[in-house]
Amino acid sequence: MHRLYNSLEPRVMDEDMLKLAVGEQGPREEAGQLARQEGILFKDVLSLRLDFQNILRIDSLWEFENLTKLQLDNNIIEKIEGLEQLVHLVWLDLSFNNIEAIEGLDTLVNLEDLSLFNNRISKIDSLDALVKLQVLSLGNNQIGNMMNIIYLRRFKDLRTLSLSGNPIAESEDYKMFVCAYLPDLVYLDFHRIDDHMKEMAESKHQYSIDELKHRENLIQSRLEDEQAQQEELEKHKAAFVEHLNGSFLFDSMYTEDVEGNKLAYLPGISELLQAYKDKFVIICLNIFEYGLKQQEKRKLELDTFNECVQEAIQENQEQGKHRIAKFEEKHLLETINMFERNIIDLVALFIENVQSTMAQCRDLENHHHEKLLEISINTLEKILKGDVDEDLPDDLRPLFVDKDTIFNAVGASHDIHLLKIDNREDELVTRANSWCTHLVDTIHKNEIMRNRRRVKEINQYIDHMQNELDSLECSDVID
């Protein structure tokens, strides 16, 4: 069922092997044409054959970044690895090797045809990233559990499957099971599945299929909800206001506030704390809504700028190369400078208003701190006089020894709260400024690259005109 080690020495891929393989693919193929050039550019190779090479380990393929077809069959490969950079791969043949587990394929999102025929694989898994998979060959392996078939239901484009030569293929119900659980399959073990077989399979396994579909729908619904939540979170992050649309910041102030949580059990504090929280959350919501609106303004500004740049470049191409410098100076540079001023002003205004609103959070915290300290001192005085009506929790009593202990406890709680508010404001300001700086820098870098290309085009145009003049002068001399 698997390839045996032969008398040849096991080999690991290296640059010499790859150069030889590329060169030997013949002049009719692109790789062969490249091989005749000085210096083979692996990144330009689209198809590569490395079969019957006694390869033990896959390596050194990272330069083949545009490869779409890779043939590694009939080797002695034990592990799928070293394919991470081959993100454009569409066709991969790893048949007739010694592979025991499916792995190392997470980046091959464009793969449509995968052959792992005649290996030592016992479980079908780790193929989740292959969302475009259409053909899967797993015949002559060691797959024995029918539940492996259910795993393949996630591949909506799968039309051809080969599992013959596996223990599961010996089951009496094998074909019926596969046809029932993979209803979109067209070919199974190199035979077309007829409609009669599909109907029989569906009828036989209908109850189990219905239950499975119900579970899948629940899972899909949950995944869609999670995806929607994640997309919403990313939108909030882009506006720098994530987790400000609720009580998250307020709750975080008490997460590590040991003393504050103890003091919350003092008489009268519960109502005070709830009022504080309600007002605090309203301020956070104001920042959140304002942040989203400002993000829309920044996005509109950026979209408008990009449209203007594209229009300018397009008009430049229509005007002709001889007017490049004049046109660009008049339009593109003005557009860039205006956008830079506008986006910097937008970000600065956003930060200024957020900081002003955050100050309201501090004012609320200071007011709460004063009230908490007042109630705590009054409680201490009552304890000393023996006038406390309610029993205090055991972990709260050690705080009411004297005024210094009370001041320290209330002060520690206050410091934690202010630090949380300060940190959230600093994070927002830093990220907003960093985004603005990075955006402006990127635009300037892109403009530098465009300038370099324009200079190159102008030089090429001058060289062309010079050649034309030289040709005319030669013609005049001959005449």
Side-chain angles (χ1 to χ4, degrees), residues 174-289:
Y174 162 65
K175 288 186 178 180
M176 287 279 194
F177 192 91
V178 174
C179 292
Y181 282 89
L182 302 177
D184 295 324
L185 208 60
V186 178
Y187 293 95
L188 174 62
D189 298 332
F190 312 106
H191 296 286
R192 186 178 182 87
I193 303 171
D194 59 50
D195 293 338
H196 179 63
M197 171 64 77
K198 289 185 178 183
E199 291 172 2
M200 289 174 52
E202 181 181 0
S203 177
K204 181 176 182 179
H205 293 276
Q206 183 174 1
Y207 180 75
S208 299
I209 293 292
D210 288 343
E211 281 193 336
L212 179 60
K213 285 182 178 179
H214 178 67
R215 292 198 300 271
E216 288 176 340
N217 288 336
L218 290 177
I219 292 172
Q220 182 62 29
S221 178
R222 188 177 72 247
L223 290 175
E224 289 175 357
D225 288 344
E226 291 175 355
Q227 183 178 356
Q229 290 174 9
Q230 185 60 38
E231 290 175 356
E232 194 71 11
L233 177 60
E234 292 303 319
K235 178 183 175 182
H236 299 168
K237 285 183 176 179
F240 316 113
V241 292
E242 70 277 10
H243 304 309
L244 289 175
N245 55 334
S247 63
F248 181 85
L249 179 56
F250 183 88
D251 295 339
S252 72
M253 297 193 310
Y254 284 88
T255 302
E256 302 168 8
D257 183 8
V258 177
E259 309 297 3
N261 285 310
K262 292 178 182 178
L263 293 167
Y265 289 97
L266 283 175
I269 294 298
S270 178
E271 296 81 2
L272 179 69
L273 192 59
Q274 186 59 51
Y276 173 31
K277 180 176 182 178
D278 292 343
K279 294 176 182 178
F280 193 97
V281 170
I282 289 174
I283 294 173
C284 289
L285 287 172
N286 289 339
I287 296 174
F288 177 78
E289 295 295 339

Side-chain angles (χ1 to χ4, degrees), residues 340-436:
E340 183 177 347
R341 288 193 301 269
N342 290 346
I343 204 70
I344 289 174
D345 288 345
L346 277 173
V347 171
L349 178 63
F350 169 64
I351 289 174
E352 180 182 348
N353 288 333
V354 166
Q355 288 177 323
S356 175
T357 311
M358 276 290 190
Q360 298 176 30
C361 291
R362 292 189 190 86
D363 291 341
L364 278 177
E365 169 56 30
N366 291 332
H367 176 74
H368 177 74
H369 167 67
E370 292 171 1
K371 287 291 185 180
L372 178 60
L373 185 58
E374 180 183 338
I375 292 174
S376 298
I377 294 298
N378 290 337
T379 302
L380 175 62
E381 292 175 352
K382 290 180 179 180
I383 290 174
L384 294 177
K385 295 177 180 179
D387 294 338
V388 177
D389 297 330
E390 302 177 22
D391 289 335
L392 297 179
D394 292 339
D395 59 347
L396 185 57
R397 286 187 175 277
L399 300 181
F400 290 85
V401 177
D402 52 40
K403 284 189 177 182
D404 286 342
T405 306
I406 289 295
F407 275 110
N408 290 336
V410 176
S413 174
H414 183 49
D415 290 343
I416 290 173
H417 297 179
L418 289 178
L419 182 61
K420 288 287 185 179
I421 296 170
D422 290 346
N423 286 345
R424 185 61 182 92
E425 180 183 318
D426 290 344
E427 179 195 359
L428 185 150
V429 171
T430 300
R431 283 171 50 201
N433 281 326
S434 296
W435 174 84
C436 184

Side-chain angles (χ1 to χ4, degrees), residues 58 77-81 83-84 92 94-95 97-108 111 114-130 133 135-139 141-143 148-149 151-152 154-155 158 161-163 166:
I58 305 171
I77 296 167
E78 297 180 343
K79 182 178 181 180
I80 305 175
E81 58 184 337
L83 304 176
E84 295 82 6
L92 175 62
L94 284 163
S95 57
N97 280 287
N98 295 325
I99 298 167
E100 295 185 358
I102 301 175
E103 58 187 329
L105 302 173
D106 293 341
T107 62
L108 307 188
L111 200 64
L114 173 62
S115 179
L116 289 163
F117 187 85
N118 211 97
N119 278 280
R120 301 175 178 179
I121 296 166
S122 59
K123 183 179 181 181
I124 307 176
D125 64 355
S126 302
L127 293 171
D128 299 48
L130 279 55
L133 191 64
V135 179
L136 178 60
S137 177
L138 280 165
N141 277 281
Q142 299 171 9
I143 301 165
N148 286 280
I149 304 300
Y151 170 79
L152 295 175
R154 69 195 64 203
F155 302 104
L158 186 64
L161 177 65
S162 170
L163 288 169
N166 283 281

